[in-house]
Amino acid sequence: MRKQINRRDFLRIASIGTASAIALSCGLIEDPHLLSTEDLDLMPTDISQADSGTREAEVLILGAGISGLAAARTLVDKGIRVIIIEARNRIGGRMWTDTSLGVPLDLGASWIHGVKGNPITELAKKFGVQTVASDYDNGLVFDFDGREMSDSEYTEIEDLFESIYEEVAQMQEDTDNDRSLQQAFDEVISSRDLSAEELRRLNFYIQGVTSLEYGADPDDLSLWEWDQDEEFGGNDVVFPKGYNQITDGLANGLDIRLGAKVVAISYGADGVEVNTSSGMFLADKVIVTFPLGVLKQAEVKFEPPLPELKQSAIDRLDMGVLDKVYLKFPGVFWNEEIEGISYMGERVGEWCDWLNFVPYINEPVLMAFHGGAKGYELEELSDDEIVAGAMKTLRVIYGDEIPEPDGFIITRWGKDPLAFGSYSHIPPFASGDDYDALFEPVDEVLYFAGEATSREYPATVHGAYLSGVAVAGKIA
Ligand SMILES: Cc1cc2nc3c(=O)[nH]c(=O)nc-3n(C[C@H](O)[C@H](O)[C@H](O)COP(=O)(O)OP(=O)(O)OC[C@H]3O[C@@H](n4cnc5c(N)ncnc54)[C@H](O)[C@@H]3O)c2cc1C
């Protein structure tokens, strides 16, 4: 069944100071506090820098994100000797709870998308981690001049979008040629007699639907395949004390070597040899969980090179970007009960989507999302320029008297050299088959896991987790 699309669903996505405030940029400044046990009962016990201990295992796992941890946990529970090798000085990968503003804030994933039947829900229960449900209908929409839109005005935009989307969906079913989702929208829109104002509002809506959830704009998404993924039912929930409680729980007792960047992997009938910035590791088998962005950059050398089918899947699929700007204020100046704040600004996709964190953590924190091309554009600006852009928008909505933030955090996932983007999507002429090709093992020695190997649930924590469990099942 086709998904219901609602722009207020933007929360499904992401999965959302002064210049002297704390600035933390993904991948540029690592977070030494991340492995602190503060607020957490759960703590991995065998995490060490890579220069210690034995360098041989039955299975090497490359990457200590959720997929690598899930694979390791599953294998270790079956009595298999595993070492996880991780380039960062922390575990979690694209799950990254930062506490530099004095409260836990997730710079990567925030939500369990759909708690019903979701394996991450089970982990949250197992580790006794608190969650809070998101209410996507609990939001306000402001027009470009800061005026709050009425429900009926917003419903008009939703209805317009839905009527256009119905035709686009039909096109998706009927067409024999793939093209971009944007081209399909353009074809339908050009057959309508829309006013400039209707167009402006429609574009705002369309951009939000795709760029936040997929990290890509409609012109970067395949009409045929962009929404081929599956979903779990039930609410979406966040973790007031951070998503890393889940990765820390999984990592408990695992042998994890931090600070070891893999540069080359040689594999064959005799096993594998993995060369890292901290020396060589040997094993019978290896599981590669690098993000698609890292594989696309081809910074890690495979010997022999990856088979054509896998390499062409890597080339066809794409990585998108979703970035977050957190602002912590001295006090709340907005309506503290709402969750989503949407702004239909002059520029589509710019400072449009905000989240109020008071309902989640009871702290005066706002977060803005930017996805797709806008996300990449913002990454080029300085921290000061970004904070100034945020404040300019907030002043349009809430007036000139609002205070400057006490602190901010800005992510730049596109520039992160161990991710090169936030998550994968399917551009024109790629397909769900490419996710399957990425998962496919090579010679029963070289195995793959990670969100971009999950055909059903790409771009999610649960997809990455399930791929880790599945690959471990294959090996065990
Ligand atoms: C901003 C943002 C918001 C998101 N929101 C949500 C959400 O709300 N809900 C949701 O379900 N999902 C969300 N996601 C997606 C989710 O975070 C990812 O799908 C998931 O965490 C990916 O896990 P993984 O194990 O596949 O990859 P990763 O977590 O990226 O793990 C791979 C690991 O490999 C390491 N590595 C890379 N290169 C090397 C190398 N050469 N040598 C050694 N190690 C290396 C990396 O450092 C990393 O730790 C979001 C992601 C982002 C970025």
Side-chain angles (χ1 to χ4, degrees), residues 10-16 26 94 106-111 113 207-208 210-216 319-325 349 353 367-376 378-379 410-415 420-425 459:
F10 74 79
L11 300 184
R12 293 192 71 78
I13 306 157
S15 161
I16 349 183
C26 283
R94 282 170 278 168
D106 280 308
L107 309 192
S110 293
W111 279 270
H113 291 311
Q207 209 263 352
T210 63
S211 73
L212 300 188
E213 182 158 352
Y214 293 89
M319 200 70 172
V321 88
L322 179 83
D323 278 318
K324 301 179 174 185
V325 176
D353 295 296
M367 185 256 275
F369 294 111
H370 288 89
K374 277 291 166 198
Y376 284 113
L378 214 76
E379 291 197 6
I410 296 166
T411 72
R412 288 185 177 84
W413 285 102
K415 288 188 186 297
F420 290 111
S422 298
Y423 34 77
S424 63
H425 63 266

Side-chain angles (χ1 to χ4, degrees), residues 62 261-267 273-276 288 290 294-295 297-306 311 446 448:
L62 312 184
K261 185 171 181 189
V262 175
V263 291
I265 302 166
S266 304
Y267 62 99
E273 213 179 88
V274 172
N275 272 297
T276 78
V288 176
F290 303 147
V294 169
L295 294 173
Q297 292 288 322
E299 278 190 354
V300 179
K301 189 166 174 275
F302 289 89
E303 189 51 51
L306 293 175
Q311 188 57 53
L446 180 63
F448 288 79

Side-chain angles (χ1 to χ4, degrees), residues 112-123 232-233 461-462 466:
I112 299 181
H113 291 311
V115 288
K116 259 196 194 160
N118 193 314
I120 309 301
T121 311
E122 292 310 309
L123 292 179
F232 286 106
V461 168
H462 52 268
L466 287 170

